[in-house]
Amino acid sequence: MVRAVHRAFQRRLVGIVAIIGLAVSTVLSFAIVAGMPSITAAETTGVAPVDHSAVVWTAGWQGEIDACRGAVDVGHHYGTPVIAEHWFCGGSLFPGEGSTITLTGAVTGTFRVGPVAVVLNAATDNAASIPHGFDLLYQTCRDGSSATMSFTELNRIG
């Protein structure tokens, strides 16, 4: 039974790998842990793959964010490096902690995604509440609510 589940899962996994575009050189390890399938991936080249890429299409403020054309450099408004994007225009797809992201456009570089540094409420907090000292922060309003404006740490790695 376990072998049949293992083979069926591997067949589905091959399709998923093709859909998400993992490189052929990616090695997938499969095991059943506590009754649940567990997968790990590692590049055979020893170089961690870039999980995500995004274009910071311009610098600006609310009008540019509302255009939903990608992330916007809003650092001049906040007085610290920040890019922002609406939740429903890409923010919900932003990679999680530990992932890497390569930015092009108005802000460039490769960053490791850190934890959420702070969640602010636009009705009660202001720009002075945003933490400073990070290479870059990514701001989006979770579930489209300005009461849950999250600022995620981005640490430059390239």
Side-chain angles (χ1 to χ4, degrees):
M1 173 71 173
V2 171
R3 283 189 183 155
V5 169
H6 184 262
R7 278 193 292 271
F9 189 74
Q10 281 182 322
R11 281 193 298 274
R12 288 188 181 147
L13 182 59
V14 168
I16 292 168
V17 167
I19 291 169
I20 62 173
L22 284 175
V24 174
S25 63
T26 300
V27 176
L28 295 173
S29 172
F30 169 79
I32 301 231
V33 177
M36 298 297 295
S38 173
I39 305 168
T40 57
E43 278 290 311
T44 58
T45 60
V47 176
V50 172
D51 295 318
H52 191 76
S53 62
V55 175
V56 180
W57 74 279
T58 192
W61 187 233
Q62 201 61 52
E64 290 75 17
I65 296 169
D66 291 347
C68 289
R69 293 180 57 194
V72 176
D73 178 358
V74 294
H76 68 282
H77 182 79
Y78 288 138
T80 193
V82 178
I83 58 173
E85 195 167 27
H86 282 305
W87 182 258
F88 297 108
C89 299
S92 65
L93 301 176
F94 196 77
E97 186 175 354
S99 300
T100 58
I101 183 165
T102 296
L103 301 175
T104 57
V107 176
T108 61
T110 301
F111 299 83
R112 172 117 14 243
V113 179
V116 171
V118 68
V119 177
L120 302 176
N121 183 332
T124 58
D125 297 303
N126 59 37
S129 303
I130 299 169
H132 288 65
F134 296 102
D135 295 330
L136 183 63
L137 291 169
Y138 177 82
Q139 185 251 315
T140 192
C141 294
R142 291 184 188 167
D143 296 319
S145 171
S146 62
T148 54
M149 242 181 3
S150 72
F151 290 81
T152 300
E153 299 175 20
L154 298 177
N155 302 297
R156 185 177 294 278
I157 58 173

